[in-house]
Amino acid sequence: MSDIIQLLPDSVANQIAAGEVIQRPASVVKELVENAIDAGATNITVRVKDAGKTYIQVIDNGKGMSESDARLCLERHATSKISNANDLFSIRTMGFRGEALASIAAIAEISIKARDTGNDVGTHLRAAGSVIQSQENTSTPVGTNITVKNIFYNVPARRKFLKSDQAELRHIITEFNHAAMAYPDIEFILIHNNTQVFSLPASNYKKRISGIFGKNIQQKLIDIKTETTIVNIQGFIGKAEYAKKTYGEQFFFVNNRYMKHPYFHKAIMKHMKIYYPPTNTQPILSFSRLIQEP
Ligand code: ADP
Ligand code: MG
């Protein structure tokens, strides 16, 4: 039998790897917003068109990037967040694998405008399908401004799998809200097709929750705070009279990272059964923030 194994070209390998990180426009929003948070931004604006299918822009006022970092950030495994395997045990950032921007650049057109504090001029880089097309000086504020156009333009099979605009926008709002809930001290703005969906000024957890769920929620919340030798738990639960049957409005964060696990939902349920007759209802909102030191 003749040899049948061949090495995949980089472009195909990149597209396959990108599939792990980027499933839909909301994945792009999540990755770009997490990068903005990691960059120390105090203001993050997310602008999308057609539920992110044609246009996603995330603008931050974080520490920005130098000319060469703006090029390097598109490489796979390019990260400023860890430098050796030991660093994995003390991660303080949302990202660390250096995969997101490389993945986005593999399956979309990306434009990065960035300036760091050490530079008077910024840089503007454009890439598509993992290939850098141009880089030039530009005037731009300190921070990073990334635009991602035509997601999956070169992977039609994946583009076909995108849901309706309504469904994709819902995914984007979910990701946006998770980040906004975890970081109330950062101002977050979301604009869809030139309409402002959320404008959340920097504030505290309680105000941020009502910024997202509406003012009425304030009177429904009870503060909780517990410190143990293993974890500190801080958050809010809803008053019994507002209990719901589903747990779609329970949110858990560990070290500011949103997480979902049936164990935690069940733990809340189990405790609430004691306090929340009738027994088949859920607290309307349980926003728990676990802080665990590594
Ligand atoms: P990771 O976040 O895992 O490091 P990414 O591909 O998301 O990987 O980003 C690669 C690198 O690009 C980051 O480590 C960071 O140095 C830089 N970077 C990305 N986005 C921003 C941003 N908004 N502001 C400043 N630097 C950024
Ligand atoms: Mg990242």
Side-chain angles (χ1 to χ4, degrees), residues 31-32 34-35 38 81 94-101:
E31 295 296 339
L32 296 184
E34 288 188 355
N35 282 344
D38 286 342
K81 299 169 193 174
M94 307 291 286
F96 58 88
R97 297 189 304 164
E99 296 263 32
L101 291 181

Side-chain angles (χ1 to χ4, degrees), residues 64-75 78 80 101-102 105 110-116 119 121-127 131-138 140 143-146:
M65 277 186 268
S66 69
E67 201 181 321
S68 54
D69 278 354
R71 263 193 321 273
L72 207 56
C73 75
L74 295 180
E75 296 287 329
S80 56
L101 291 181
I110 185 168
S111 147
I112 302 177
K113 280 188 187 178
R115 178 158 78 87
D116 62 8
N119 279 304
V121 241
T123 186
H124 181 194
L125 180 141
R126 291 187 315 115
V131 178
I132 293 181
Q133 295 171 321
S134 66
Q135 185 171 23
E136 57 209 22
N137 287 345
T138 192
T140 187
T144 304
N145 177 339
I146 298 187

